[in-house]
């Protein structure tokens, strides 16, 4: 018998943050990571108040802030002409929600949770590729590639986009967006153009966008270039290549084009999500993070949702412990599944819609720009549903925002002409 309370499959941000949270309850947690060592691939992450609130609860916010940057503004610009469309005052946002909006290197956040897990006594095992799962009365089993069997009262599958455990619940496949992301981090002294590191900036353009912001206390500039691949649309296997990157951004403004020379050109990330599902639990096996709800990146909530998942699950485990300290695992899993799938469904589908909005062309682009320019800087109606406190129960989930039709931009034009 594997003498642990919880096995977590996957040592990414979602897996480690959940392991740390559960260990704080005095539970014995084991993390199985398939790679030879724990680590994260990628560059920057944006952490909204719904995440920094949890980091503060974990006692990790000050350390995270010391590793990242707390910017003053988020600015959206048109990628073709560089003009400002709208912005968020992130200091006012912090006053509104009670916690900061910050940016951090993905590996730094992962390392923060890894250190916290080691300090807390989480058992961290590498080269553990899980190939099968099984259920028994009051427990679940994982089988690794070498045939080793491990059993625990709860198994959390945080095994990412290509989750093995997800197949227990649904036989689906990742959905290609036909978009691809290039990334690059640049030491500030190597930049050939001035950059305001107090801002998170996104340039939105026809079938492309470009993001940049500071990392590691302002020592690095993180850049992300995303575009729709014509090769992907044509059904070709070799899509998202550097020649497509250059073509996609050829008509953008000088500030965007100047960033292209700093992108990593030897690797790129094809962008996939999955259709939302409402069932995340089978017996004592629960999906978490991208295994349950992989999103497109447009809302910058992917890692945050995984951290929220672990926090919610842990809060219900804590709430439903018996007098002898033994958790009501079934009750906690039911409560977890009652609230998280609906929230994450909203985020996944809104991210798809947000991506469409960013990448408009022609008349629709002009309408979008006009509406964004008329948005009040202190209007948080589009963020209240996601940046507020993470819901523990379905009734705590705030209502969604009301979408604004693009056609309403014509009313603004008519009103100005009448005036």
């Amino acid at each position: 018998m594997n003498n642990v309370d919880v096995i977590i499959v996957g040592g990414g941000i979602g897996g480690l943050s959940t392991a740390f949270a559960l260990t704080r309850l005095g539970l014995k947690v084991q993390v199985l990571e398939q790679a030879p060592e724990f680590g994260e691939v990628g560059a920057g992450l944006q952490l909204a108040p719904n995440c920094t609130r949890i980091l503060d609860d974990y006692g990790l916010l000050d350390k995270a802030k010391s590793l990242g940057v707390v910017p003053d503004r988020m600015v959206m610009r048109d990628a073709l002409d560089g003009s400002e469309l709208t912005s968020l005052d992130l200091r006012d946002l912090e006053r509104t929600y009670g916690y900061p909006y910050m940016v951090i290197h993905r590996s730094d956040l992962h390392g923060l949770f890894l250190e916290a897990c080691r300090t807390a006594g989480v058992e961290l095992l590498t080269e553990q590729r899980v190939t099968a799962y099984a259920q028994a009365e009051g427990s679940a089993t994982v089988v690794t590639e070498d045939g080793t069997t491990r059993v625990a009262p709860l198994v959390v599958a945080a095994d990412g986009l290509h989750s093995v455990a997800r197949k227990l619940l649904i036989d689906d496949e990742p959905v290609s967006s036909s978009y691809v992301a290039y990334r690059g981090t640049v030491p500030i002294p190597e930049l050939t153009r001035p950059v305001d590191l107090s801002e998170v900036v996104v340039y939105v353009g026809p079938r492309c966008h470009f993001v940049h912001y500071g990392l590691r206390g302002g020592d690095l500039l993180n850049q992300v270039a995303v575009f729709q691949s014509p090769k992907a649309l044509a059904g070709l296997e070799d899509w998202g290549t550097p020649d497509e990157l250059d073509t996609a951004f050829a008509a953008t403004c000088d500030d965007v084009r100047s960033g292209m020379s700093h992108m990593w050109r030897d690797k790129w990330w094809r962008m996939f999500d999955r259709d939302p599902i409402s069932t995340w639990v089978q017996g004592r096996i629960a999906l978490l993070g991208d295994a349950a709800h992989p999103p497109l990146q447009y809302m910058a909530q992917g890692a945050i949702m995984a951290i929220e998942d672990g926090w919610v699950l842990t809060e219900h485990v804590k709430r439903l412990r018996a007098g002898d300290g033994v958790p009501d695992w079934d009750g906690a899993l039911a409560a977890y599944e009652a609230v998280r799938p609906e929230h994450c469904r909203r985020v996944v589908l809104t991210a798809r819609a947000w991506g469409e909005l960013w990448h408009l062309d022609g008349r629709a682009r002009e309408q979008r720009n006009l509406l964004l320019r008329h948005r009040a800087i202190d209007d948080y109606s589009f963020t209240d549903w996601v940046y507020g406190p993470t819901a523990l129960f379905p009734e705590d989930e705030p209502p969604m925002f009301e979408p604004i039709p693009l056609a309403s931009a014509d009313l603004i034009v008519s009103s100005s002409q009448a005036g």
Side-chain angles (χ1 to χ4, degrees):
M1 182 76 174
N2 198 35
N3 188 28
V4 297
D5 298 302
V6 183
I7 296 172
I8 296 178
V9 180
I13 288 170
L16 292 182
S17 62
T18 304
F20 174 66
L22 290 167
T23 301
R24 294 173 78 217
L25 301 182
L27 298 170
K28 294 182 179 180
V29 182
Q30 184 179 77
V31 178
L32 306 181
E33 167 57 38
Q34 66 180 358
E37 59 184 25
F38 286 89
E40 272 287 327
V41 177
L45 284 175
Q46 301 180 48
L47 303 181
N50 57 315
C51 182
T52 53
R53 181 179 293 106
I54 294 173
L55 292 180
D56 185 59
D57 182 53
Y58 289 167
L60 300 175
L61 179 57
D62 288 343
K63 180 63 173 177
K65 288 167 68 175
S66 74
L67 296 171
V69 172
V70 181
D72 295 329
R73 295 177 78 221
M74 179 181 294
V75 185
M76 179 172 283
R77 297 182 179 276
D78 188 283
L80 299 187
D81 60 25
S83 63
E84 183 171 325
L85 301 178
T86 191
S87 66
L88 284 173
D89 180 337
L90 296 180
R91 298 302 181 172
D92 185 65
L93 188 101
E94 179 176 354
R95 289 189 291 271
T96 300
Y97 295 110
Y99 294 88
Y101 194 108
M102 63 171 292
V103 291
I104 190 171
H105 200 289
R106 179 179 288 270
S107 64
D108 291 342
L109 182 63
H110 183 270
L112 178 63
F113 281 121
L114 183 61
E115 178 184 0
C117 284
R118 285 174 172 153
T119 301
V122 176
E123 185 179 4
L124 301 164
L125 302 178
T126 57
E127 298 183 300
Q128 302 290 318
R129 183 183 296 275
V130 172
T131 57
Y133 295 79
Q135 302 275 4
E137 184 67 30
S139 68
T141 300
V142 300
V143 182
T144 54
E145 196 171 40
D146 64 1
T148 301
T149 297
R150 300 178 186 274
V151 183
L154 173 63
V155 170
V156 176
D159 52 345
L161 175 67
H162 301 287
S163 170
V164 174
R166 185 181 174 105
K167 294 186 180 299
L168 299 171
L169 303 172
I170 186 171
D171 185 18
D172 67 345
E173 295 294 334
V175 178
S176 173
S177 69
S178 300
Y179 277 78
V180 62
Y182 278 70
R183 296 183 170 93
T185 54
V186 192
I188 296 302
E190 295 181 13
L191 291 174
T192 58
R193 71 190 194 281
V195 173
D196 187 346
L197 295 177
S198 71
E199 296 181 341
V200 175
V201 183
V202 54
Y203 293 85
V204 295
R207 295 168 295 282
C208 69
H209 75 267
F210 179 72
V211 181
H212 71 71
Y213 51 83
L215 291 175
R216 291 185 173 159
D219 292 337
L220 289 177
L221 183 70
N222 181 63
Q223 300 186 135
V224 184
V226 175
F227 63 92
Q228 187 179 53
S229 164
K231 292 180 184 177
L233 294 175
L236 302 180
E237 292 287 332
D238 182 27
W239 61 276
T241 48
D243 59 303
E244 289 195 300
L245 169 70
D246 294 330
T247 300
F249 288 91
T252 56
C253 65
D254 291 344
D255 283 343
V256 173
R257 288 201 312 276
S258 65
M260 293 302 110
S261 61
H262 297 293
M263 309 309 296
W264 302 326
R265 289 177 172 254
D266 59 343
K267 54 186 171 181
W268 49 90
W269 288 259
R270 295 169 175 176
M271 294 175 59
F272 294 85
D273 65 1
R274 285 188 191 253
D275 292 330
I277 57 173
S278 59
T279 301
W280 292 9
V281 175
Q282 184 188 86
R284 293 293 182 85
I285 299 171
L287 302 182
L288 182 142
D290 280 359
H293 49 74
L296 299 177
Q297 66 190 42
Y298 303 111
M299 289 190 64
Q301 286 282 313
I304 294 175
M305 286 194 291
I307 293 169
E308 286 184 310
D309 289 347
W311 182 82
V312 169
L313 177 61
T314 301
E315 288 296 303
H316 286 303
V317 170
K318 179 169 62 175
R319 181 178 64 87
L320 295 171
R321 297 184 84 167
D324 59 1
V326 176
D328 175 1
W329 296 113
D330 296 323
L333 290 172
Y336 169 70
E337 191 177 48
V339 66
R340 290 303 294 163
E342 171 58 18
H343 175 83
C344 296
R345 181 193 69 83
R346 294 178 175 188
V347 175
V348 169
L349 297 184
T350 303
R352 288 179 179 178
W354 197 229
E356 293 174 3
L357 182 72
W358 283 16
H359 299 140
L360 294 173
D361 196 1
R363 175 62 179 154
R365 166 180 164 263
E366 294 172 357
Q367 292 174 313
R368 175 205 64 200
N369 288 1
L370 183 61
L371 289 171
L372 288 173
R373 289 188 176 111
H374 276 75
R375 172 192 161 268
I377 193 170
D378 59 350
D379 178 6
Y380 298 128
S381 59
F382 290 95
T383 56
D384 284 341
W385 70 279
V386 68
Y387 288 175
T390 303
L392 284 173
F393 301 95
E395 58 269 25
D396 298 332
E397 191 70 35
M400 285 286 287
F401 62 89
E402 288 292 328
I404 299 175
L406 285 176
S408 62
D410 298 335
L411 298 177
I412 296 175
V413 174
S414 298
S415 177
S416 63
Q417 290 174 343

